[in-house]
Amino acid sequence: APSTAAQPTGAGQEEADLRPPLRLAYAQALAQAGQPVRAVGVLDGLAPSAQTPRDRLAEAWRTVLSGLIFGAPAGGSAAPLRAAAHGAQHGGAEGDAHGPAAGAPGLAHGQMLALARARMDQVPDDPFKAKLLAGLGRQLMAQGRAGLAVPALQQADVLAIDPLMRADIEELLAQSALEANQRPLALRALERSALADLPADLAARRRYDEARLAAASGNREGAQALLAEDESDTGLSVRGALYEQDQQWAQAVQVVGRLASRTLPEQGVLSTAQRDLVIRLASDAAAAGDGPTARSLQAWVGARALGAERQVLFTALVKQAQKVPVVSLGVVRVPTTFDKSVKDPK
């Protein structure tokens, strides 16, 4: 009689058959509980089969990739994870080989994004993948990795169907292309995103991109003209950045000072972004030789903490601003009281 030593029978066969579907459920539960990195380990190696149909496997990967890119869903809890883990332990999931029971070491966000990029081909090309790629591109942009964001956003643009979603992706693509010094690509993306009746925030973002593109192409006056009436925080920040790039320090002091006048609180702890703004205005004032603005800023900040490194830099910049600049820049000073109603001179 032929040997049956290697042939699972009865309960053993049933256990072997249960393993792949339980791994799918366990991976999704891990991702929903905020552990997408462990979920990748559970799913890796699974291929479409009768026990793990292609559509179910793709759905599990969508959940895991969403966790890597966007984080755990709001209201996620450990209850599904405990239930799935119990089923895996009693149904024969492969434990250490595909999903260690112990918590995996946390990865930096950049590493999680790299993991998502490497597994993106596990999901089919469809509008949901466009959403994943757009989120990935946005996160990479936030990390200053525009060169990696560009191809992700290009692929997202191809897969998106909804016109408004495509316009949003194309604006992000324009941003990343500008950061990556790919001006022709930025121009094409901006042209494609020019839809009628865009939401106000998207229209404003396009305007900032157009201004940056004009400045990068040498049209500084045109860039400033696009933002001349924009008194929003972002508009002032972009205008200030254009002046800073042109080393027009007096104008930068005026515009960045107006931004500071309404975003730096009179009392209370300063946020990281507010501390950075303090250093930015102090740097502009030092470059312009604008001592009064620097002293006014120093008085406004007072004894509030900036952090050790920022404090040393801030003190040095205030001191530097007291010196006369080598070249007169026609300094225009912001009001020393940081008047909240300060506007452009007419």
Side-chain angles (χ1 to χ4, degrees), residues 178-266:
L178 281 169
E179 292 291 331
N181 199 29
Q182 299 182 38
R183 292 203 299 270
L185 176 59
L187 178 59
R188 291 194 299 272
L190 279 175
E191 289 172 344
R192 291 195 301 269
S193 67
L195 301 182
D197 300 322
L198 286 174
D201 63 329
L202 180 53
R205 282 161 43 201
R206 287 191 73 261
R207 190 167 61 251
Y208 301 142
D209 296 336
E210 289 172 342
R212 292 187 184 103
L213 181 59
S217 302
N219 185 7
R220 301 289 186 179
E221 291 184 1
Q224 290 291 350
L226 283 167
L227 304 176
E229 302 300 320
D230 193 332
E231 286 291 319
S232 68
D233 290 355
T234 303
L236 290 174
S237 183
V238 173
R239 291 166 65 189
L242 294 175
Y243 283 131
E244 289 160 351
Q245 291 168 12
D246 257 0
Q247 298 186 18
Q248 297 184 42
W249 301 114
Q251 292 87 339
V253 166
Q254 185 181 41
V255 173
V256 177
R258 230 172 22 259
L259 175 62
S261 74
R262 67 181 186 211
T263 58
L264 296 180
E266 188 171 359

Side-chain angles (χ1 to χ4, degrees), residues 266-289:
E266 188 171 359
Q267 297 178 340
V269 176
L270 297 174
S271 68
T272 299
Q274 290 166 341
R275 295 176 188 185
D276 289 342
L277 180 58
V278 167
I279 296 300
R280 180 181 181 184
L281 180 55
S283 299
D284 292 344

